[in-house]
Amino acid sequence: VPRLWGYSKSNYLIFASGLISIFFGYVVMATGEVNSFQSLTLAPIFLFLGYIILIPISLLIKTKEN
């Protein structure tokens, strides 16, 4: 029986880690001062990691199942 939905547990875990990274990035940005390392460097790294790396990887990875 072919699977209609092509995502496995690992896809969902990577996607969830991307969402957590995005959430953490916004929290770090909101709690930092305007011109601080936290708001200008750390938060964008977490947002970039979530939006540009983790979520697309979770959608593109195909896992083999036995």
Side-chain angles (χ1 to χ4, degrees):
V1 176
R3 290 180 51 188
L4 298 176
W5 197 255
Y7 298 118
S8 66
K9 184 178 180 179
S10 63
N11 293 88
Y12 289 114
L13 290 174
I14 296 170
F15 190 83
S17 65
L19 291 178
I20 290 168
S21 173
I22 291 168
F23 176 76
F24 188 65
Y26 281 118
V27 168
V28 168
M29 188 181 297
T31 58
E33 293 183 17
V34 175
N35 289 324
S36 66
F37 170 80
Q38 185 177 343
S39 292
L40 296 177
T41 305
L42 193 60
I45 289 172
F46 283 115
L47 294 171
F48 181 84
L49 184 69
Y51 280 121
I52 307 299
I53 297 174
L54 291 174
I55 289 181
I57 284 175
S58 73
L59 298 175
L60 295 175
I61 279 183
K62 300 225 184 241
T63 56
K64 291 185 179 181
E65 294 185 14
N66 294 332

